[in-house]
Structures are given as C-alpha cells and as structure tokens.
Amino acid sequence: MIVEFILGAALVIMTTAALIIWLSSITTGLTAMLSVGVVMTVALLVLMAQTAIGVPILDSLHVVLVISLLVAPIIAIAFADWRRT
C-alpha cells in the first residue's frame, strides 16, 4: 500500500508540474501558477491518502492544517524578505 501511495504521489506531482509548465506558457502570473499547483497537489495527496491507505479525510485535513500552520509563516517571511530587496 505504501508503494502505491508513493508512486501515486510521484504521478500527481509530475502531473501538477506539467500543468504548471503549461500554465506558464499561457499566463504571466508566476505566484498564481505556483499557488494553483500547490493547492492541487495537496488536495490530490489528501485524497490519495484516503483511498490508498484508508486514512480518514478528517485526519488528513488535520495533518495538512498542522503542516500549513508551520509552513505558512516561513513562506510569508521569505516572501516579505524577497519583496523588500
């Protein structure tokens, strides 16, 4: 089951990367493209965890919430620092 999840995750990430490359050729907003890609990847990984491993959706969303609470300030600080320079 773990192998299927890892292979599925790799497939989702590669598909999302292909979508981002396709979007970059038709749009100019890099931040918007990356946001769409990240949201799609996280949503699909949550759904894959639910189907492949049997993790309840609510537990998956709790993990995503905890991770986002840890990562969001780091991204905000890096973005503010990038805009300042």
Side-chain angles (χ1 to χ4, degrees):
M1 290 182 126
I2 300 296
V3 173
E4 290 97 3
F5 177 72
I6 292 172
L7 291 176
L11 181 65
V12 166
I13 291 170
M14 288 188 304
T15 305
T16 305
L19 177 67
I20 288 174
I21 291 171
W22 176 70
L23 281 174
S24 69
S25 67
I26 60 173
T27 61
T28 57
L30 180 65
T31 307
M33 278 187 315
L34 291 177
S35 300
V36 167
V38 167
V39 168
M40 286 178 54
T41 302
V42 168
L44 288 174
L45 287 176
V46 164
L47 290 175
M48 285 178 52
Q50 194 265 333
T51 21
I53 303 175
V55 177
I57 292 285
L58 194 57
D59 290 341
S60 299
L61 292 176
H62 283 147
V63 170
V64 168
L65 177 65
V66 168
I67 291 172
S68 65
L69 287 174
L70 294 173
V71 171
I74 296 170
I75 292 173
I77 291 169
F79 186 70
D81 187 42
W82 174 70
R83 296 279 286 191
R84 188 175 37 174
T85 58

